[in-house]
Amino acid sequence: PTGAGDTFAGALTGYLEREGVSTDSLKHALLYATIIASFTVEGWGVERLLRLSEEVIEKRAENFYKWIHI
């Protein structure tokens, strides 16, 4: 158990709460939740999440978006 599922669920609901629910926001929320959850498995417990910054998240998002558009 890594906690990635909990992180995914929290990021998904947090994004939708902030942006509202629509088809587009759901698509972005799923991508955002995937990206945030990916950090969870890089450390023990919440160790990696505590060291996150918006810059690091945005960089991973840029790389992820490039990868899925190939």
Side-chain angles (χ1 to χ4, degrees), residues 16-70:
L16 292 173
E17 175 65 28
R18 186 181 69 212
E19 300 297 324
V21 179
S22 70
T23 302
D24 283 339
S25 68
L26 182 56
K27 289 177 187 178
H28 289 281
L30 289 167
L31 290 172
Y32 179 75
T34 300
I35 290 163
I36 299 299
S38 73
F39 287 106
T40 304
V41 298
E42 292 181 2
W44 186 257
V46 297
E47 171 192 314
R48 180 65 176 109
L49 296 177
L50 293 174
R51 295 183 287 119
L52 279 180
S53 67
E54 285 188 46
E55 280 182 73
V56 172
I57 294 167
E58 289 302 318
K59 181 66 175 171
R60 182 159 299 178
E62 287 174 24
N63 290 333
F64 188 75
Y65 291 141
K66 287 177 189 174
W67 182 75
I68 63 172
H69 283 84
I70 292 176

